[in-house]
Amino acid sequence: MGIPFVDLKLQYSLHKPAFDEALGRVCASASFILGSVVERFEKDFADFLEVQEVIGVASGTDALCLALEALGLGPGDEVLLPANTFVATAYAVHRVGAIIVPVDVDRESFLLDLDSAARQLTDRTKAIIPVHLFGQACDLDAINAFATRHNLVVVEDAAQAHGARWAGRRVGGLGAVGCFSFYPGKNLGAFGDGGAVATNDAALAEKLRLLRNYGSTKKYLHNLPAGNSRLDSLQAAVLNVKLAFLEEWNRKRFRAACRYRDGLQGVKNLQVPIFDPQKPERHVFHLYVIQSPRRAELLEHLTRAGMSAGIHYPVPIHLHQAYAYLGRPRGSYPVAEKLADTILSLPMFPEITDQQVDTVVQCLRDFHG
Ligand SMILES: *Cc1c(COP(=O)(O)O)cnc(C)c1O
């Protein structure tokens, strides 16, 4: 029996009546755009995040694009972001016409490294986008202090970290804005695309509501030039069902991570994620990422044994053809570049069984032992 990377079919089958009922209600109401189901999700997700406002949008990418636009970032503005992230973090900066400034990452946590960020500062640096990569909360105390010192706005990319906390507070609510994705495989995922922006700034929230909906306050009256990026009601209905399980699912992910950690202890040449098992709130394990110097062979070994694995991400931002225009050659970000060659993401989802984790562990031990 193979082991999937995530098991969304299983998750659906376990909660089928709740999903079908919620979706059926939206269909029967024929209220598909915005409306009460979306409003309820926005309110409940805001309560969950302990923020004032949540604005549902069409994707995590749009959440980032609209957040940057609402903050007034544009041509000439430089934006710091980690070199090892999903490409959307960088694309959003490109999209608003601002300048992508990749920053190297920390060797242990793989998160944005503030020393590297400090070296990239210029008088045009306007914003910093910490990415809570793999589900780990970035040190927002340090990042906010850095941002205050250098007059930068903090845009959190929390697309992989729904529910994680830093110093007791939920990520996504710690900077000027927090951006979330509800891509199906995320810790909180829809049955299609979706995203959200979180903020405690009422004026910014109002602007974001305009930006996602043709700049419109009233039908056919448009205050701002803007397009269409709304969270739709069917996705919101799914998210309303799933939000109730998010904490439990995150706990199960953490438990699986601890089991991987125990099982993989002492395996030669294999580096496991460094985290504090006493602080489950800091890491919601969107991904469990190991490092191996023989990554290609290891991936083949796992695949042959019917186990799925992934690489997040095989190419750092500055080495993509799309962003070659940044003019940052290989060697610019040594830690991110090394990670890209050695990291491997193991199967991780709330419903993963002890037995499945143990099977993956055994397979890794066979290979590296
Ligand atoms: C998934 C993801 C995004 C983009 O979200 P989409 O909903 O796929 O557009 C942005 N940043 C990070 C770190 C992500 O993992």
Side-chain angles (χ1 to χ4, degrees):
M1 263 292 280
I3 299 178
F5 190 64
V6 296
D7 200 341
L8 295 175
K9 285 185 194 161
L10 175 62
Q11 193 170 75
Y12 174 66
S13 72
L14 289 172
H15 304 284
K16 185 176 177 344
F19 287 131
D20 291 355
E21 207 258 330
L23 290 167
R25 240 182 303 143
V26 173
C27 293
S29 78
S31 168
F32 294 112
I33 304 294
L34 299 177
S36 64
V37 178
V38 172
E39 278 165 25
R40 189 188 135 202
F41 173 70
E42 290 178 335
K43 181 170 182 314
D44 288 354
F45 195 46
D47 290 347
F48 175 85
L49 294 174
E50 299 153 13
V51 297
Q52 294 300 314
E53 308 266 3
V54 162
I55 301 94
V57 297
S59 70
T61 305
D62 277 1
L64 287 159
C65 291
L66 297 184
L68 296 175
E69 186 181 349
L71 289 163
L73 291 156
D77 297 335
E78 295 181 2
V79 181
L80 303 166
L81 55 94
N84 178 38
T85 181
F86 182 58
V87 72
T89 319
Y91 169 72
V93 175
H94 170 94
R95 183 74 184 79
V96 299
I99 300 159
I100 299 163
V101 181
V103 165
D104 212 350
V105 295
D106 178 78
R107 218 168 277 284
E108 288 194 350
S109 66
F110 315 165
L111 300 174
L112 179 143
D113 176 37
L114 279 181
D115 292 332
S116 174
R119 287 194 292 275
Q120 314 270 3
L121 285 167
T122 74
D123 44 7
R124 293 175 304 276
T125 314
K126 293 289 158 55
I128 184 165
I129 311 184
V131 179
H132 304 289
L133 196 71
F134 307 152
Q136 294 169 95
C138 294
D139 179 347
L140 255 303
D141 290 324
I143 290 165
N144 280 332
F146 177 86
T148 305
R149 203 152 58 241
H150 302 292
N151 210 12
L152 312 178
V153 60
V154 177
V155 177
E156 291 176 80
D157 183 339
Q160 301 188 357
H162 318 70
R165 289 180 188 271
W166 178 262
R169 293 168 58 203
R170 302 268 194 205
V171 304
L174 294 159
V177 284
C179 301
F180 290 88
S181 162
F182 306 125
Y183 178 79
K186 300 286 161 90
N187 288 37
L188 180 60
F191 286 180
D193 278 311
V197 185
T199 183
N200 288 308
D201 180 334
L204 199 65
E206 175 137 358
K207 189 157 183 200
L208 283 158
R209 284 183 208 284
L210 293 183
L211 289 176
R212 74 164 173 189
N213 193 26
Y214 309 116
S216 176
T217 41
K218 224 171 140 187
K219 205 161 194 179
Y220 307 129
L221 291 179
H222 307 280
N223 299 19
L224 284 176
N228 169 1
S229 177
R230 299 174 298 219
L231 178 67
D232 76 68
S233 310
L234 286 168
Q235 301 309 335
V238 169
L239 294 168
N240 281 329
V241 173
K242 287 199 183 188
L243 183 57
F245 294 102
L246 182 55
E247 293 258 52
E248 178 193 328
W249 286 342
N250 282 344
R251 274 198 300 276
K252 289 182 168 168
R253 288 173 179 273
F254 195 82
R255 213 179 139 265
C258 291
R259 194 169 183 91
Y260 270 130
R261 177 177 176 273
D262 294 345
L264 293 171
Q265 230 161 42
V267 179
K268 270 204 312 282
N269 285 325
L270 196 84
Q271 217 164 304
V272 297
I274 296 167
F275 67 98
D276 186 344
Q278 303 308 319
K279 294 205 169 82
E281 71 283 3
R282 271 215 192 151
H283 201 325
V284 293
F285 281 99
H286 175 57
L287 296 170
Y288 185 88
V289 180
I290 60 167
Q291 288 180 75
S292 164
R294 292 160 61 206
R295 200 252 320 266
E297 292 161 78
L298 176 57
L299 181 54
E300 219 184 283
H301 176 78
L302 286 168
T303 308
R304 254 202 315 272
M307 274 157 244
S308 313
I311 300 171
H312 301 90
Y313 297 90
V315 180
I317 296 302
H318 62 294
L319 298 180
H320 284 286
Q321 191 186 328
Y323 299 107
Y325 75 82
L326 297 174
R328 312 257 172 163
R330 189 171 286 281
S332 302
Y333 305 99
V335 181
E337 289 168 23
K338 174 162 181 275
L339 286 178
D341 292 335
T342 56
I343 48 181
L344 190 68
S345 313
L346 302 181
M348 173 55 83
F349 48 95
E351 301 81 8
I352 194 167
T353 64
D354 287 354
Q355 201 185 351
Q356 285 174 314
V357 171
D358 295 347
T359 307
V360 177
V361 164
Q362 195 49 53
C363 195
L364 289 164
R365 285 192 159 274
D366 292 344
F367 180 81
H368 269 284

